[in-house]
């Protein structure tokens, strides 16, 4: 299965949102968050026909969360797989978590909804992010959990049902600090290599069988190859735009001299990267994430080029 790991977008969704994958999804969430749910129902169930249709409008930089699931108590769980590093990824994960937390806010059919107090419709939200880059220090644990809690009492903020309101989880496929032979370690190795060892939990072995390339339908194999090619093309355009932008920005920056030149050079580098990214066909939102320039500035650059 070399080249077609579970981190592939189609395989990631097939793995956790197929009709017969609920036990895998529940086990994965329990292993990472330590919370056991009776049921976890994905908002969108995987089917190759619907996936093929959505792929045509897919933004490869993922402006929407990969997977959203709802538990029996109304809790929302987001699952995100991110291979390439991105600027403001911390903010992005919090944004997804906040979206999940407020998603039932206007649901007037929510259990125990009180018209004069619609905050009662809100439910806990948990965000799980699997990342294949160093978001934190390389020596820090591969699995990290963030919570709302009181620093003095070391107690989390709970709702009226004694459940935590928000949790944010990161599993790094790069960091090596992890308890060996733990379930989380087996998940990490599975995502990195596509393989599982004999002592891995049965549900992870089930996960492997579900995404083995040679067991997939022909249309699924075709889609996977299209996804890999599209992402390779996207990464090539992005790398070229950044490289050219840095070359032009640094060259102009050196001409300015000393501290002022460095500051201006850094700004020129961002502008140069933005211009090359526009030429490469990247969207304004993508370029903003790459360069840190706001959308209006990029729109002005686009207008100049046109």
């Amino acid at each position: 299965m070399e080249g077609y790991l579970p981190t592939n977008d189609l395989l990631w969704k097939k793995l956790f949102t197929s009709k017969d994958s609920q036990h895998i999804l529940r086990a994965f969430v329990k292993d990472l968050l330590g919370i056991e749910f009776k049921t976890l129902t994905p908002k969108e169930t995987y089917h190759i026909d619907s996936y093929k249709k959505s792929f045509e409008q897919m933004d490869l930089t993922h402006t929407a969360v990969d997977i959203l699931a709802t538990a029996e108590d109304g809790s929302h769980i987001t699952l995100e797989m991110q291979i390439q590093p991105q600027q403001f990824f911390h903010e992005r994960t919090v944004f997804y978590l906040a979206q999940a937390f407020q998603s039932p806010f206007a649901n007037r059919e929510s259990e125990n909804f009180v018209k004069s107090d619609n905050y009662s419709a809100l439910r806990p939200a948990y965000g799980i992010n699997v990342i294949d880059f160093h978001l934190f220090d390389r020596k820090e644990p591969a699995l990290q959990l963030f919570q709302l809690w009181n620093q003095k009492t070391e107690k989390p903020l709970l709702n009226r049902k004694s459940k935590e309101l928000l949790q944010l989880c990161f599993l790094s496929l790069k960091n090596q600090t992890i308890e060996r032979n733990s379930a989380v370690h087996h998940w990490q190795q599975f995502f990195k290599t596509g393989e599982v060892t004999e002592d891995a939990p049965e549900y992870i072995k089930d996960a492997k069988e579900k995404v083995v390339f040679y067991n997939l339908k022909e249309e699924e194999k075709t889609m996977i190859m299209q996804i890999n090619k599209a992402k390779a093309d996207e990464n090539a355009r992005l790398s070229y735009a950044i490289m050219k932008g840095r070359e032009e920005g640094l060259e102009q920056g050196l001409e300015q001299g000393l501290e002022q030149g460095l500051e201006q050079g850094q700004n020129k580098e961002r502008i140069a990267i933005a211009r090359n990214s526009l030429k490469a066909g990247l969207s304004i939102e993508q370029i903003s994430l790459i360069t840190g320039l706001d959308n209006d500035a990029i729109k002005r650059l686009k207008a100049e080029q046109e």
Side-chain angles (χ1 to χ4, degrees):
M1 206 176 75
E2 184 179 357
Y4 305 106
L5 298 175
T7 53
N8 176 278
D9 185 76
L10 182 145
L11 295 179
W12 175 255
K13 289 184 172 64
K14 179 181 175 69
L15 175 60
F16 289 118
T17 67
S18 297
K19 289 183 178 180
D20 58 349
S21 292
Q22 194 175 92
H23 70 295
I24 299 174
L25 177 60
R26 290 200 315 271
F28 178 64
V29 170
K30 181 183 177 182
D31 288 341
L32 268 67
L33 297 180
I35 302 174
E36 186 169 9
F37 293 105
K38 294 179 181 178
T39 62
L40 279 176
T41 305
K43 181 179 179 181
E44 296 182 3
T45 302
Y46 170 81
H47 190 278
I48 184 58
D49 290 337
S50 58
Y51 186 90
K52 286 166 64 177
K53 185 176 180 180
S54 66
F55 179 75
E56 297 175 1
Q57 291 84 37
M58 183 181 294
D59 180 356
L60 293 176
T61 59
H62 297 282
T63 54
V65 72
D66 287 343
I67 297 171
L68 174 64
T70 305
E72 71 278 356
D73 63 353
S75 297
H76 284 74
I77 296 90
T78 66
L79 273 67
E80 174 81 353
M81 168 63 69
Q82 184 63 38
I83 302 299
Q84 298 293 338
Q86 288 194 352
Q87 280 191 319
F88 310 114
F89 189 71
H90 296 83
E91 291 82 356
R92 171 175 160 175
T93 58
V94 175
F95 176 78
Y96 287 152
L97 187 67
Q99 275 191 323
F101 180 65
Q102 69 179 353
S103 60
F105 188 77
N107 180 8
R108 296 185 177 275
E109 296 180 358
S110 181
E111 182 183 3
N112 299 323
F113 178 82
V114 180
K115 187 174 182 180
S116 61
D117 182 17
N118 54 2
Y119 293 106
S120 64
L122 298 175
R123 296 291 184 269
Y126 309 92
I128 295 177
N129 302 274
V130 179
I131 54 176
D132 197 18
F133 56 91
H134 288 290
L135 186 64
F136 306 104
D137 187 274
R138 296 168 184 265
K139 296 181 181 179
E140 291 186 18
L143 179 66
Q144 299 206 32
L145 292 171
F146 296 85
Q147 306 160 290
L148 289 175
W149 67 315
N150 187 309
Q151 287 185 339
K152 290 186 176 181
T153 64
E154 297 187 355
K155 292 182 179 180
L157 181 63
L158 306 178
N159 66 5
R160 66 189 186 281
K161 293 184 178 180
S162 299
K163 293 189 175 182
E164 291 192 50
L165 290 173
L166 300 169
Q167 280 196 36
L168 198 54
C169 169
F170 296 90
L171 173 61
S172 170
L173 304 186
K174 294 289 189 184
N175 289 38
Q176 298 301 311
T177 305
I178 191 170
E179 182 182 348
R180 298 297 167 179
N181 298 320
S182 65
V184 176
H185 180 252
H186 284 295
W187 280 116
Q188 186 194 54
Q189 295 305 303
F190 171 55
F191 291 139
K192 287 172 63 174
T193 67
E195 300 297 331
V196 299
T197 57
E198 284 298 321
D199 58 341
E202 289 301 318
Y203 51 81
I204 300 183
K205 294 178 182 178
D206 291 345
K208 177 188 174 181
E209 291 303 312
K210 183 168 290 295
V211 299
V212 170
F213 184 72
Y214 299 108
N215 291 344
L216 302 178
K217 298 177 181 177
E218 287 303 317
E219 52 189 344
E220 289 178 320
K221 295 178 181 179
T222 300
M223 279 303 307
I224 288 173
M225 289 185 281
Q226 288 180 11
I227 293 168
N228 277 19
K229 182 179 184 304
K231 289 194 173 183
D233 291 344
E234 180 81 4
N235 291 337
R237 289 197 302 270
L238 178 59
S239 297
Y240 177 78
I242 292 175
M243 178 190 70
K244 292 295 292 182
R246 283 178 175 165
E247 288 176 357
E248 294 175 17
L250 288 173
E251 182 178 349
Q252 294 175 33
L254 289 172
E255 295 174 359
Q256 303 300 320
L258 301 177
E259 186 174 343
Q260 180 182 4
L262 178 60
E263 182 178 351
Q264 292 181 358
Q266 290 173 338
N267 187 51
K268 289 176 181 293
E269 178 184 344
R270 290 195 292 267
I271 293 173
I273 290 174
R275 284 175 172 155
N276 281 285
S277 297
L278 286 167
K279 292 177 183 177
L282 274 66
S283 70
I284 290 174
E285 291 74 16
Q286 290 173 317
I287 298 169
S288 179
L289 285 171
I290 296 166
T291 63
L293 297 174
D294 60 44
N295 288 356
D296 290 338
I298 298 169
K299 288 178 182 177
R300 288 195 294 271
L301 291 174
K302 184 177 182 180
E304 290 175 7
Q305 288 186 351
E306 293 174 347

